[in-house]
Amino acid sequence: MHPAASIIFFTTASGLGYGLMAWAGILAAFGQMPLHRGLGIGVMVTALVLVSTGLLSSLLHLGRPERAWRALSQWRSSWLSREAVAAILTFIPATVFAGAWIFLDHLSRLAGVFTALGALITVYCTAMIYRSLTPIKQWSNPTTVPVYLALSLMTGATWLHAFLLAFGAGSARTVLITGAVAVISIPAGYTLKRRAWHYDPTPAATIQSATGLGGTDIRSVEWPHTEENFLLKEMGYRVARKHAERLRQIATGAGFIAPLLLLVVTAGRQDWLATAAAILAAIVMAAGITVERWLFFAEAKHTVALYYGR
Amino acid sequence: MTSLPGKTDKKLGLVIDLDTCVGCHACVTNCKEWNTGGHMAPLTDLNAYGKGADGVWFNRVHTYEVDDAPGCSRTVHFPKSCLHCETPACVTVCPTGASYKRTSDGIVLVNEDLCIGCKLCSWACPYGAREFDVFEGVMKKCTLCVDRIYNTNLDEVDRVPACVLTCPTGARHFGDLGDPNSDVSQLVAARGGVDLMPELGYKPTNKYLPPRPRRTAAADVGATAELVSAPGGFLGWVDRLLSR
Amino acid sequence: MSFTDPQEPDGVDMSPVVADEVKTTTCYMCACRCGIRVFVKDGKIRYIQGNRDHPVNKGVLCGKGAAGIMQHNSPARLRKPLKRIGERGRGEFVEIEWDEALQLATDWLGHIRRTDPKQLAFFTGRDQSQSLTGWWAAMFGTPNYAAHGGFCSVNMAAAGLYTIGGSFWEFGEPDWEHTKYFMMFGVAEDHDSNPIKIGLGKLKGRGAKFISVNPAKTGYSAIADEWIGIRPGTDGLFIMALIHELLRAGQVDLDYLVRYTNAPWLVIQEPGTADDGLIARDASGAPLCWDRGSNAAASALRADVTPALQGTFTVDGKTCIPAFELLAQRYADAKFAPDAVADTCGIPTATIKRIAAELAHVAFKETIEIAVPWTDWAGRRHESMIGRPVAMHAMRGISAHSNGFHTCRALHVLQMLLGSVDVPGGFRYKPPFPKPVPPGPKPAGKAGAKPDTPMPGLPLGFVTSPDDLLLDPDGTAIRIDKAYTWDFPMAAHGALHMVLQNAAAGDPYRIDTLFLYMANLAWNSSMSATAAIDALTAKDEDGTYKIPHFIYVDAYASETVAYADLVLPDTTYLERWDCISLLDRPISDADGACDAIRQPVVEPDRDVRAFQSVLLDLGARLGLPGMVKGDGRPAYPGGFADYMVNHQRAQGLGPLAGWRGYEGGEAGRGAPNAWQLESYIANGCFWRGDIPVGARYFKMANAGYLTWATHMGFIAGPEQIVLQLYSEPMQRFRNAARGHGAMQPPESHRARVEAAFDPIPVWYPPFEEAAIDRDEFPLHALTQRPMQHYHSWGSQNAWLRQITAANRLFVHRATAAKLGIADDDWVWVISSAGRVKGQVRLVEGVNPDTVWTWNAIGKRKGAWALKPDAPEAHDGFLLNHAISEWLPGGDRRPNCDPVTGQAAWFDLRVRIEKAAPGAWPEFGALTSPPGVVPGPDVLRYGADFKVRP
Ligand SMILES: Nc1nc2c(c(=O)[nH]1)N[C@H]1C(S)=C(S)[C@@H](COP(=O)(O)OP(=O)(O)OC[C@H]3O[C@@H](n4cnc5c(=O)[nH]c(N)nc54)[C@H](O)[C@@H]3O)O[C@H]1N2
Ligand SMILES: Nc1nc2c(c(=O)[nH]1)N[C@H]1C(S)=C(S)[C@@H](COP(=O)(O)OP(=O)(O)OC[C@H]3O[C@@H](n4cnc5c(=O)[nH]c(N)nc54)[C@H](O)[C@@H]3O)O[C@H]1N2
Ligand code: SF4
Ligand code: SF4
Ligand code: SF4
Ligand code: SF4
Ligand code: SF4
Ligand SMILES: [Mo]
């Protein structure tokens, strides 16, 4: 599939944003969130900005952005519609939660719970959009939803951890919790992603079934058109195997190994070094996950490619 | 509504005979000329006169070489348009309700006025039957010539899809595949018509008639493998009275 | 079947009004000439549909026809007459008014006509107005006229006309309704594109067996029951092996041969004499046979003879043998046995034997009988029509070779032996065929051209002996293309492909003006585009062009426009009157004679004029006979439409056969009818005259048909047309080569003429193959027509060019593997004459010794109003850059069939070598002429038609 920048940015940014707000909401719900206004501004504004720009950038991808509101109508059948509805609904508790925290110096447990729920549901809906696309085996398999949720939570935890350290706001306990959550989520996320990467991508359909022709081998000798058309540009994207392998290594290194090392090395500390390490971990991880997301699209093969012998 | 009708009154669709299709692209261009002024008008063409020409088409013809056994290949022309599936995800994924399946005849259409151009339906179609109009920002697709098949401004015989009307070899057929007695259903039954990618569960309405087995044995026409020499030797057989 | 409004509540307008008006006319996206219905809305073309009633296409359209909207809207359309101001090829023109343009042309042409009319070479390409253009040339007084047939498929036409008085081409068709076994040789698309497709659909539906003999397996071949991937240039041998098998087994229709062919005619066997090989004739000139009833020679044309097909007889003291025996002796030779030809043809022995057996089985065991009584030429009534349901069709694949004439003739011989010419289930003539063998008049011009004097007849015709050749007493060619010379004596269609180079070389002489209509000679219709461009730009020492004037008529900015001195812009096919006449290339089918018209459907929006009207106007300005009235005023002030109605070629015979006579009630013959065009339009722009039911088969010997055809003016009288198994006219040329008669070939030509003019079909390796080192050029290189493009026109069509904007070189996987070539690689295609680069596509459906590509997709940069980056000029390639008009050796031996002059396109031999990507050769980019503006980047045709609820 064509790795459109807007969609990659959207899924990465919103995944991170929702992960961040989810953890903030959960910690608040359990009374573990320090009532620090700077932290509130840092965490919640970042989360809301990430989520909003993500959503806005996904609008860029639309042919008719001015009609985007129509996407709210089909929640009964469409995961995209559900995602849009969930995203918008999540803004309500999230804004309440953030507002109370920042302006009223109050950490609403209830709003936190709903924010976390909304965030996770939204990420779930996003994942389900891909999960339900039968023509793309790399997406429509049981690994997609766990990976989306896990990576959202992983990036969220790592970023929250960094915020806590950066604002020097958390108690040692809170920092320990977020650090631990982040450190645990990384191998978990990686395990799931690895499973996804190793998931047998052979589509259920074959060129034999796609054409109904059977036979031992079917080769495309002429396309219906000599230049690339919408189908090929959108769904015939190919990334060289070698290239993909290298990018997987980068995604693994930046998205998982480096942040993990940085966090483990500075575990238990709350000094400038730990802070720097946590911030670095957060940034490197975001970059790594962007690469992961690029691959998620670029490596996905649509059954349409079968018709073109790709 | 992007929820699918539980059942449609008719299942209108096409039957395409791969045994007869010569790959002439007549159905392709006829579809284009009808539809560029029709219900989904226009079928925009980008870079029409330079590099990277890329237009919207509802019907395209591929060419394959199919090995029956290694080294023994057949060449098959393969036209492909929307199959008007019974349970197509291209409809259910649509967030706006622009993509829908009609209850009356089963035709899958896009309402351009609702479409936001998210392209999700094109991702959901395994067959590559939907094409995005970049200029208009909306998704377009085969309408099964909904503006022909009921069009009282056309002669009755002409109320068939443009691609069917034009096919010079008669490789394309149109009718109600929900009616087991219709000509198309009978044809599918007689020729063992198949679904494309049945394993994906979209239940395509359109059917493809597979190429007939090739006949390369003398027995296929009732002949012997070779001729026996005539009695009487060379030209001996010529010696009979012939009248003019 | 039709469905009623389903009342779906989705607001879709299911009955939009499609058109303000529907006009019928005739398609001209190719030469098939299908009937179309053009839906016009708001003055624009909304939709083009096939005309269901039309005899050619019966409602269907091909891929091109349905893209006519984009042809009509092509940005490459010319706008106004153009006069060259820069060097040829630079595209520097000024737009001029028609008056100035016509005055200029009249000045050039008037001078020529007053001094030496043969200084005008008037040649036409893709058109079907040959009865007008040929007549115009004759009235002008130049012998230098031809249409495009010489480079197209004259082998096919001439072999047929000299053998069965008809031909494949679009002159005949298989009996699609009845045939049970259909063999197609070397056809990718053909002129009869829609009828063939409709017919194949029928065969498939009926389960008749369909065999395609073709080195490449595409289109039609792909759906054949059996594909025979023959090695190019060897079909003759394959056919002769089939004949060998049939003769060996005695599976030959002797009754048919005796009744309808010259098989029993006695051939004189007196080696060394001038009569040797000629037909023994009686005092009245009638051919003789040996009547076994009277045991004496008797006129072979009598109905009551019992002719011998074998034996040696003495007539007038000369030894004679029936033609059939000579033929049988020839093919009985073991060198025509299947195992002897298998390797050369690349077809297994068993396959050849099996096909012979299948042919014999279907022809003789599955005979069909149609319960239609008929009367033969001798007045004998037959209660039914009995047919051999095997049919053949062939086209350029066997024709465009230097051995093509004989191969085509061999195929007709095979048909005759099977008794399947114009019988139920066999090959069928379309009126006006069959014609006497060979038809009609000789080529005019023997006396040369004289100032201010028309030719005594039409420039093209059929020679029957060396006396008919167009040679000056000193042996120089009378025609610029050397048609009807010893180079190619039976050049029945002329040789357009030789004109440019002959004219530039002054061989046989120089010309003053080249007047060319509708042929893209500076690109795809010259064997070598480079040589064509060189000839058009060659200059004398004084700096003047060797071809001093070049008037070109085109409708679009083709490659050739850039080289013209004066460009006369034509209309598109939807803007003009045209006449698809029985005098030209008819559109009849086997059951009826048909002709058609084109009527203007939309008005031109530019200053262009229909060429036929312009030609009549020029004729009037030049005062050509027939084009001016007694007082010097134009004879056809109403232009071509006027001519279509009022011109008479002979009393009562005109361009159109329908609705003749004052009342419009006559068909074929009749006085001009002022309302004729209205009648055509009311009938969908075509006319069809049914052949009487009892006259639809055995046309060559069917009294009903012969009488009807005589009335229609197709033949002079209702005499039986005897098919020529043995060709006496050929023998006359052969005897000349052997030193007999007044007209003899020069020494240098004797051996070649003697070999080429065998009266019984022979096979020899194609000339190029024989002349080159086969190891150096191990592969055959071919082109095929893509069904969705027409020669060079398609690329200006925004829709068609999306389907094919660049062509690949198709190479067999195994062949490529041996050469280390992979899919998508670029390769050099190198011949003895030149080279060109292209990108490879590996396939299996091709003869392993053959590579091929789609014809005429490669374009010159800047032509056709395409953007400079268009793939047509960067990724596409034109195989013609590797072809030549001349055989290897540099001694100007034409790369043509030695009988007809047919351009041997498919003799090309090449090798391929891996190359760096990128097109080659590179020509400079052409500049679009004034008025030709690039098309829009975003094309939204049809947006205005949208019906919004
Ligand atoms: N390598 C290779 N070369 C071949 C062949 C092959 O098989 N292989 N085939 C050969 C054969 S058989 C043929 S017939 C030739 C065909 O070759 P051409 O006769 O050159 O045919 P086109 O390329 O169609 O070009 C005809 C010209 O007519 C112009 N034209 C189109 N419509 C109109 C109109 O309405 N009015 C006027 N006045 N002009 C118009 C076009 O713009 C174009 O310039 O190619 C030959 N060349
Ligand atoms: N769509 C479309 N239709 C056209 C045209 C067009 O340009 N486009 N052009 C028109 C014109 S002008 C013409 S002349 C006709 C020509 O119509 P065709 O005769 O069908 O023309 P080609 O495409 O040259 O096809 C020649 C075929 O012969 C095969 N062949 C080559 N060499 C041999 C051989 O030695 N033996 C055998 N058995 N086969 C061989 C080639 O593979 C090819 O399939 O088409 C007309 N119709
Ligand atoms: S029009 Fe008919 S024969 Fe031609 S490509 Fe389409 S289906 Fe095949
Ligand atoms: S073919 Fe594709 S677009 Fe058409 S109904 Fe099926 S899934 Fe939808
Ligand atoms: S592109 Fe249009 S029709 Fe397709 S899913 Fe999106 S809104 Fe629906
Ligand atoms: S049914 Fe109509 S819209 Fe669909 S492919 Fe055929 S012509 Fe095109
Ligand atoms: S075959 Fe096609 S292009 Fe040629 S006349 Fe017929 S419809 Fe037109
Ligand atoms: Mo041709």
Side-chain angles (χ1 to χ4, degrees):
Chain A
M1 299 295 292
H2 173 64
S6 56
I7 299 268
I8 290 163
F9 177 72
F10 161 65
T11 64
T12 330
S14 70
L16 166 55
Y18 284 122
L20 195 52
M21 38 171 109
W23 284 121
I26 292 167
L27 286 188
F30 285 99
Q32 298 301 326
M33 196 51 119
L35 190 59
H36 180 289
R37 176 175 291 172
L39 180 69
I41 294 174
V43 169
M44 287 313 288
V45 170
T46 304
L48 285 167
V49 165
L50 280 171
V51 165
S52 314
T53 50
L55 284 171
L56 281 175
S57 94
S58 79
L59 292 188
L60 288 184
H61 174 80
L62 298 182
R64 293 293 195 123
E66 77 279 9
R67 299 177 182 167
W69 58 273
R70 290 190 183 276
L72 301 173
S73 67
Q74 302 302 311
W75 48 270
R76 277 196 299 270
S77 63
S78 162
W79 283 105
L80 177 52
S81 199
R82 287 172 192 158
E83 180 205 45
V85 172
I88 284 173
L89 288 181
T90 304
F91 272 109
I92 300 169
T95 320
V96 171
F97 180 67
W101 187 354
I102 297 164
F103 299 112
L104 305 178
D105 282 338
H106 170 69
L107 272 169
S108 162
R109 294 184 174 214
L110 195 65
V113 168
F114 277 108
T115 301
L117 259 175
L120 292 176
I121 288 174
T122 308
V123 173
Y124 177 79
C125 289
T126 308
M128 279 308 288
I129 295 174
Y130 300 103
R131 166 77 172 94
S132 59
L133 287 169
T134 331
I136 305 156
K137 187 69 177 299
Q138 280 94 337
W139 298 352
S140 102
N141 68 56
T143 67
T144 301
V145 174
V147 166
Y148 260 81
L149 284 170
L151 297 191
S152 169
L153 288 169
M154 175 185 90
T155 45
T158 308
W159 276 54
L160 183 58
H161 181 63
F163 272 114
L164 279 167
L165 283 167
F167 284 91
S171 62
R173 189 183 145 98
T174 315
V175 172
L176 197 69
I177 293 175
T178 53
V181 168
V183 165
I184 294 168
S185 71
I186 293 174
Y190 179 67
T191 311
L192 289 169
K193 187 66 224 183
R194 235 183 91 87
R195 235 184 74 202
W197 274 338
H198 287 267
Y199 192 85
D200 178 10
T202 321
T206 60
I207 177 70
Q208 279 79 3
S209 74
T211 56
L213 289 169
T216 53
D217 186 24
I218 300 182
R219 294 173 300 277
S220 165
V221 293
E222 287 211 81
W223 289 352
H225 39 90
T226 43
E227 297 188 87
E228 300 250 319
N229 68 342
F230 163 71
L231 297 174
L232 280 168
K233 288 177 195 159
E234 186 77 6
M235 285 165 286
Y237 190 85
R238 285 187 300 181
V239 49
R241 247 191 118 70
K242 243 175 44 204
H243 197 54
E245 203 41 61
R246 192 149 355 101
L247 287 170
R248 278 188 185 190
Q249 285 161 6
I250 293 172
T252 307
F256 304 98
I257 296 175
L260 185 66
L261 287 176
L262 286 166
L263 294 184
V264 167
V265 167
T266 57
R269 303 168 64 147
Q270 250 175 300
D271 53 6
W272 67 269
L273 192 71
T275 308
I279 293 174
L280 192 61
I283 291 170
V284 169
M285 177 184 274
I289 296 309
T290 309
V291 174
E292 178 273 336
R293 220 31 69 87
W294 188 88
L295 276 172
F296 178 75
F297 286 91
E299 286 192 290
K301 195 176 157 194
H302 194 282
T303 45
V304 155
L306 291 172
Y307 289 106
Y308 286 90
R310 280 199 168 170
Chain B
M1 254 320 132
T2 57
S3 302
L4 290 167
K7 188 181 164 307
T8 58
D9 303 340
K10 285 195 174 62
K11 293 187 203 172
L12 298 189
L14 303 175
V15 174
I16 294 162
D17 187 348
L18 299 181
D19 190 55
T20 309
C21 171
V22 293
C24 69
H25 293 272
C27 50
V28 173
T29 56
N30 210 303
C31 169
K32 177 93 174 178
E33 64 153 353
W34 174 260
N35 286 291
T36 200
H39 175 61
M40 300 233 78
L43 271 53
T44 310
D45 299 295
L46 301 180
N47 303 326
Y49 298 101
K51 185 183 166 68
D54 175 6
V56 176
W57 299 75
F58 293 168
N59 182 27
R60 303 205 185 237
V61 180
H62 292 256
T63 307
Y64 299 107
E65 281 188 351
V66 185
D67 285 357
D68 293 324
C72 166
S73 71
R74 264 183 296 154
T75 301
V76 181
H77 299 287
F78 185 86
K80 182 164 64 64
S81 53
C82 173
L83 309 166
H84 298 280
C85 308
E86 275 181 64
T87 51
C90 66
V91 169
T92 51
V93 298
C94 175
T96 64
S99 182
Y100 67 105
K101 185 170 176 72
R102 295 168 29 125
T103 310
S104 54
D105 48 20
I107 297 178
V108 174
L109 286 181
V110 173
N111 182 337
E112 285 176 84
D113 297 333
L114 300 183
C115 176
I116 59 173
C118 69
K119 302 185 191 163
L120 193 57
C121 52
S122 65
W123 295 6
C125 169
Y127 308 102
R130 293 181 163 239
E131 301 209 0
F132 189 63
D133 187 328
V134 178
F135 190 81
E136 306 232 319
V138 296
M139 192 55 70
K140 299 190 172 177
K141 69 176 290 298
C142 157
T143 65
L144 204 65
C145 288
V146 68
D147 46 1
R148 287 192 66 89
I149 58 178
Y150 305 111
N151 194 333
T152 49
N153 294 310
L154 297 176
D155 295 344
E156 192 167 330
V157 278
D158 289 341
R159 291 180 212 157
V160 291
C163 57
V164 173
L165 190 78
T166 204
C167 174
T169 62
R172 304 176 74 90
H173 308 266
F174 164 70
D176 181 6
L177 287 140
D179 170 6
N181 295 318
S182 67
D183 290 349
V184 279
S185 296
Q186 302 275 318
L187 188 61
V188 170
R191 294 276 307 281
V194 299
D195 282 355
L196 304 186
M197 295 197 248
E199 62 275 44
L200 299 192
Y202 282 57
K203 295 202 199 147
T205 300
N206 288 10
K207 301 285 182 262
Y208 283 77
L209 307 180
R212 296 179 173 96
R214 294 301 182 240
R215 292 174 303 160
T216 52
D220 294 334
V221 295
T224 52
E226 61 182 81
L227 294 166
V228 287
S229 294
F234 172 60
L235 282 180
W237 51 272
V238 179
D239 194 19
R240 68 183 169 86
L241 281 185
L242 297 157
S243 60
R244 220 170 98 72
Chain C
M1 159 217 52
S2 90
F3 298 103
T4 47
D5 183 347
Q7 309 286 334
E8 180 87 21
D10 59 355
V12 171
D13 181 359
M14 290 180 291
S15 281
V17 176
V18 184
D20 306 325
E21 195 183 6
V22 181
K23 282 191 175 176
T24 53
T25 185
T26 305
C27 182
Y28 193 41
M29 291 289 287
C30 90
C32 185
R33 294 154 290 160
C34 300
I36 51 175
R37 301 175 61 209
V38 185
F39 290 64
V40 183
K41 200 173 176 200
D42 310 327
K44 286 170 64 175
I45 303 159
R46 161 68 182 87
Y47 183 60
I48 301 175
Q49 180 179 324
N51 180 352
R52 200 175 295 282
D53 305 320
H54 200 274
V56 172
N57 57 317
K58 303 183 171 66
V60 306
L61 284 187
C62 79
K64 301 165 271 121
I69 294 177
M70 284 299 129
Q71 187 89 341
H72 183 68
N73 283 280
S74 162
R77 276 177 311 174
L78 299 173
R79 187 173 69 179
K80 217 174 161 55
L82 299 169
K83 192 169 96 178
R84 180 174 62 82
I85 47 172
E87 293 290 296
R88 281 190 189 159
R90 299 281 284 276
E92 289 160 17
F93 293 100
V94 283
E95 293 188 324
I96 56 174
E97 298 303 323
W98 273 99
D99 270 341
E100 186 186 344
L102 292 170
Q103 192 54 51
L104 204 55
T106 309
D107 290 346
W108 293 348
L109 298 176
H111 171 75
I112 298 172
R113 187 159 196 268
R114 283 189 301 274
T115 50
D116 182 11
K118 75 170 186 307
Q119 296 277 319
L120 167 65
F122 178 33
F123 283 80
T124 79
R126 314 277 62 241
D127 101 289
Q128 281 101 37
S129 304
Q130 291 165 30
S131 76
L132 169 70
T133 51
W135 176 67
W136 193 95
M139 293 304 114
F140 185 91
T142 181
N144 290 325
Y145 163 83
H148 79 293
F151 62 57
C152 179
S153 206
V154 63
N155 268 343
M156 183 59 68
L161 293 169
Y162 276 92
T163 306
I164 59 170
S167 171
F168 300 119
W169 201 307
E170 76 252 42
F171 305 169
E173 66 187 356
D175 189 349
W176 297 114
E177 303 296 332
H178 298 107
T179 194
K180 295 182 185 170
Y181 197 90
F182 175 52
M183 286 185 85
M184 181 180 251
F185 292 77
V187 184
E189 173 68 325
D190 209 344
H191 293 288
D192 243 1
S193 7
N194 275 332
I196 288 178
K197 294 189 190 79
I198 297 170
L200 290 178
K202 281 185 189 156
L203 293 193
K204 284 268 156 183
R206 284 197 292 110
K209 177 159 179 175
F210 165 31
I211 296 187
S212 177
V213 184
N214 197 315
K217 181 166 40 164
T218 56
Y220 303 156
S221 302
I223 66 163
D225 288 287
E226 184 165 3
W227 169 63
I228 297 186
I230 196 166
R231 192 169 73 81
T234 65
D235 299 70
L237 211 46
F238 170 50
I239 294 163
M240 289 168 198
L242 294 175
I243 294 175
H244 172 94
E245 283 292 283
L246 294 171
L247 288 168
R248 175 176 67 77
Q251 297 286 336
V252 166
D253 192 343
L254 296 181
D255 298 292
Y256 184 96
L257 290 175
V258 162
R259 283 186 196 135
Y260 307 119
T261 78
N262 71 353
W265 291 10
L266 291 175
V267 182
I268 298 166
Q269 300 292 297
E270 294 289 338
T273 71
D275 289 345
D276 184 45
L278 299 186
I279 302 294
R281 294 179 181 270
D282 66 14
S284 71
L288 296 172
C289 68
W290 193 262
D291 178 25
R292 296 176 68 176
S294 58
N295 206 22
S299 164
L301 302 180
R302 272 168 45 191
D304 59 352
V305 287
T306 313
L309 283 181
Q310 60 160 331
T312 305
F313 309 99
T314 308
V315 180
D316 290 341
K318 292 175 188 150
T319 308
C320 298
I321 294 180
F324 178 77
E325 181 174 335
L326 294 176
L327 184 118
Q329 276 169 2
R330 160 80 50 89
Y331 299 122
D333 194 309
K335 75 176 183 209
F336 296 114
D339 54 354
V341 309
D343 280 349
T344 312
C345 299
I347 307 173
T349 306
T351 304
I352 303 174
K353 290 186 168 177
R354 173 172 53 78
I355 288 173
E358 291 180 3
L359 280 171
H361 173 85
V362 178
F364 303 121
K365 301 268 166 50
E366 305 217 344
T367 308
I368 47 176
E369 191 166 349
I370 299 183
V372 175
W374 64 288
T375 305
D376 69 23
W377 59 278
R380 296 170 297 200
R381 185 180 152 93
H382 304 259
E383 286 317 312
S384 65
M385 297 175 159
I386 296 172
R388 314 277 181 211
V390 294
M392 317 272 168
H393 186 77
M395 228 350 230
R396 293 184 63 256
I398 63 170
S399 173
H401 289 286
S402 54
N403 59 14
F405 179 85
H406 280 276
T407 301
C408 299
R409 235 176 79 69
L411 190 53
H412 293 309
V413 166
L414 172 63
Q415 291 174 287
M416 285 187 265
L417 295 176
L418 290 165
S420 72
V421 176
D422 219 63
V423 299
F427 161 86
R428 303 181 69 195
Y429 299 104
K430 300 176 183 178
F433 301 99
K435 300 244 184 191
V437 190
K442 310 272 163 75
K446 262 182 81 73
K450 297 195 181 62
D452 280 326
T453 312
M455 285 276 130
L458 293 175
L460 297 177
F462 296 87
V463 298
T464 53
S465 88
D467 298 336
D468 302 329
L469 293 179
L470 297 189
L471 293 169
D472 276 340
D474 67 357
T476 38
I478 286 177
R479 288 177 56 109
I480 186 71
D481 58 0
K482 301 198 187 179
Y484 310 112
T485 66
W486 291 108
D487 278 353
F488 14 79
M490 289 180 170
H493 287 176
L496 173 48
H497 47 298
M498 305 313 285
V499 172
L500 290 183
Q501 295 199 43
N502 286 359
D507 172 18
Y509 48 79
R510 297 277 285 268
I511 55 167
D512 176 82
T513 297
L514 170 66
F515 186 6
L516 185 69
Y517 168 45
M518 229 190 204
N520 200 5
L521 278 190
W523 197 243
N524 57 295
S525 53
S526 282
M527 297 182 81
S528 160
T530 322
I533 292 170
D534 288 349
L536 286 169
T537 50
K539 287 186 174 172
D540 277 324
E541 262 139 44
D542 65 0
T544 55
Y545 287 111
K546 293 196 172 188
I547 302 174
H549 298 121
F550 176 19
I551 307 174
Y552 183 44
V553 186
D554 202 319
Y556 308 97
S558 67
E559 281 87 350
T560 303
V561 164
Y563 292 90
D565 305 326
L566 177 62
V567 180
L568 304 178
D570 202 353
T571 49
T572 75
Y573 72 107
L574 296 174
E575 296 167 334
R576 63 177 179 246
W577 293 99
D578 259 333
C579 176
I580 292 93
S581 168
L582 280 157
L583 305 175
D584 294 322
R585 291 169 61 179
I587 52 160
S588 307
D589 59 52
D591 293 326
C594 310
D595 62 15
I597 63 165
R598 236 168 245 131
Q599 64 161 327
V601 169
V602 285
E603 286 297 318
D605 57 359
R606 289 142 294 129
D607 194 10
V608 295
R609 291 190 190 171
F611 172 65
Q612 291 91 337
S613 295
V614 168
L615 193 64
L616 289 166
D617 185 348
L618 271 177
R621 288 168 190 250
L622 291 164
L624 300 187
M627 282 167 254
V628 280
K629 293 184 181 143
D631 59 4
R633 283 180 304 134
Y636 302 105
F640 192 50
D642 187 351
Y643 167 96
M644 282 157 63
V645 174
N646 295 311
H647 177 70
Q648 292 190 69
R649 200 45 70 83
Q651 190 58 40
L653 286 178
L656 291 170
W659 297 282
R660 299 197 69 84
Y662 297 113
E663 307 285 317
E666 285 158 51
R669 267 178 216 269
N673 160 19
W675 299 103
Q676 194 178 27
L677 296 180
E678 282 75 6
S679 300
Y680 270 84
I681 291 168
N683 195 52
C685 284
F686 70 92
W687 168 83
R688 185 173 197 281
D690 283 348
I691 303 174
V693 173
R696 293 187 180 178
Y697 291 96
F698 302 99
K699 297 189 186 89
M700 61 286 186
N702 184 323
Y705 178 80
L706 295 166
T707 316
W708 179 82
T710 306
H711 167 76
M712 296 296 294
F714 300 156
I715 49 179
E719 285 80 44
Q720 180 189 12
I721 291 165
V722 181
L723 315 187
Q724 306 284 300
L725 208 58
Y726 181 93
S727 178
E728 188 184 32
M730 298 198 70
Q731 181 68 22
R732 295 201 188 105
F733 286 90
R734 196 191 210 193
N735 284 351
R738 288 174 173 169
H740 303 289
M743 290 287 272
Q744 293 182 24
E747 224 39 61
S748 55
H749 282 57
R750 274 188 201 279
R752 197 177 50 84
V753 171
E754 182 177 354
F757 279 80
D758 198 307
I760 299 171
V762 289
W763 183 84
Y764 48 87
F767 290 162
E768 181 171 334
E769 182 170 337
I772 46 100
D773 176 353
R774 292 178 51 163
D775 296 328
E776 195 185 347
F777 303 106
L779 299 170
H780 298 261
L782 304 174
T783 57
Q784 299 199 82
R785 275 124 179 83
M787 290 184 177
Q788 69 281 7
H789 275 256
Y790 197 63
H791 298 287
S792 59
W793 305 354
S795 303
Q796 65 185 314
N797 188 303
W799 295 342
L800 299 181
R801 67 181 293 271
Q802 287 184 57
I803 300 172
T804 320
N807 51 316
R808 293 294 188 100
L809 185 76
F810 293 88
V811 182
H812 194 283
R813 311 179 76 77
T815 309
K818 273 188 235 153
L819 297 168
I821 288 168
D823 214 9
D824 297 334
D825 277 355
W826 281 81
V827 291
W828 284 112
V829 183
I830 305 167
S831 72
S832 62
R835 54 169 65 198
V836 59
K837 255 204 264 177
Q839 212 182 348
V840 162
R841 166 61 25 90
L842 299 185
V843 289
E844 255 173 31
V846 64
N847 172 291
D849 297 324
T850 305
V851 297
W852 69 272
T853 190
W854 294 121
N855 188 44
I857 295 295
K859 293 282 139 52
R860 176 132 176 218
K861 204 186 291 176
W864 300 101
L866 293 179
K867 301 238 159 73
D869 62 359
E872 284 87 344
H874 291 271
D875 305 325
F877 66 98
L878 189 72
L879 190 63
N880 302 43
H881 298 312
I883 307 180
S884 171
E885 278 77 7
W886 313 107
L887 288 169
D891 48 357
R892 279 177 74 87
R893 283 183 305 141
N895 184 11
C896 296
D897 185 281
V899 179
T900 63
Q902 157 95 54
W905 303 96
F906 297 159
D907 282 359
L908 183 64
R909 299 280 302 207
V910 301
R911 69 170 178 277
I912 57 176
E913 288 171 5
K914 233 191 207 161
W920 198 96
E922 285 260 32
F923 296 87
L926 292 174
T927 314
S928 278
V932 173
V933 280
D937 281 334
V938 180
L939 187 63
R940 301 177 68 243
Y941 195 86
D944 311 344
F945 297 132
K946 182 132 180 169
V947 196
R948 284 281 182 191

